Amino acid sequence: MDGIVIDKPSRTLHIRRTYTAAVDRVWWAWTDAEAISRWWGPEGWAATVYEMDVRPGGRWRFQIAPADESSAPVRNVATYNAVVARAELHYNAAFADEAWQSDNTGDFPTAVTFTPAGTGCTVDVAATFPDDRALQRAVELQMAEGYAEALDRLDNFLNDPNSEGETIMDTLTSADGTTIAYEKTGSGPAIIVVSNVAEDHTGVAGLAKALSRDFTVISFDRRGRGGSGDPQPYDPAREIEDIAALIDVAGGTAALTSGSGGSGLTLDAASALGDKVTGVYLYEPSFIVDDSRPPAPTGYVETLEALVAAGKRSEAVEYFMTEMIRVPAEYIPMMKQDPSWDLMAKYAHTYAYDARTLADLQDGTPLPTDRWTIEAPIAVSVGSEGEEFIRRGAHALAALLPNVTVLTLPDQDHSAFWMAPEPVAAQAKTFLLG
């Protein structure tokens, strides 16, 4: 029966809950970083997921904090030991300090099983503690009750009509064993949409929808975002492997498209993957090739990494906005009021990821001559209302590589890739399909 059992002889907490939702949907709610952040933790607490790599050896790092700030946040680091898709999750969890190191109160192995119950699903959670003292601490902290409240919140989330339309993303396993979450829509020739810094696949949802009228579109959560893993240390080469795996899903060949800071990775992938890439459409690559605007700040990557390591994610976003994007400081307080700021703070660690990819593309010097070898046709589009340094970077790429066409998108600026997906998709279709 549903409920809580404290088994003192085995030092185990058992919590069971049955849902009307099917196993697939309940599994998704437990393994998608965005989904679990919507219900994890007791009533009145909010969860922030910093890492969720659902594979053996992968980590799950999260923080829960009371909405009324009545007590300090609680941090936890879990390492997955076994993952059986839609059936079992096994992980060792430990309370952690601000540096995400164990607080030495001991690990507690946890098993979560998902069992079909008619058209619904029964979830069993069993958390085992190393000794009687650890179990007693869990009882005093009302851990079982907290779990039970979280599972109640999960029921509300699963039955929320606003969440019914949310897509349960497919996943693949990349070359290094990392889980990559992706979404496949539309029909026709394949195109993969590569998102930008500090956003998951939802950031390019408008463009993916517009392209899906003419293409089979694959959008995905890049490493460290959404439902995809984030093993450390970060290596840009692994992201190329992720794109290669997505091309396999697409049938062996695909076009690539991206905008702004995602353009460096897209070109790297097109160069590495050769004839698997049928064409490339880039919108306003953020290359800085001369003195038409200041280059990336000295120590840019190191500063971003230090801020994130210190838990100063909002400060990392502010640093990126003021020092890299050059947003006037007086605009920052207003920007912080927009919900998009919180999403950027959640993914603040990815600023350093993309900065590594763009390291020699934003330093105010000519583009490297030995980085790319690409035979596929490439379109580099610049908004007619865009900045001069963007146009110079586009023409620099055209002078460097064969088969590059510089296009202009009338009446648009740098935001068009996200805010004006229809004209962007129409231009991409014309270039890639003729």
Side-chain angles (χ1 to χ4, degrees), residues 14 170 197 243 286 321 373:
H14 293 274
D170 291 318
V197 64
I243 293 172
S286 54
M321 289 294 173
T373 301

Side-chain angles (χ1 to χ4, degrees), residues 28-40 154 157 166 346:
W28 163 75
W30 272 86
T31 56
D32 180 89
E34 182 66 25
I36 202 169
S37 68
R38 303 263 294 275
W39 62 269
W40 186 252
L154 171 58
F157 172 67
E166 295 186 45
K346 176 182 177 180

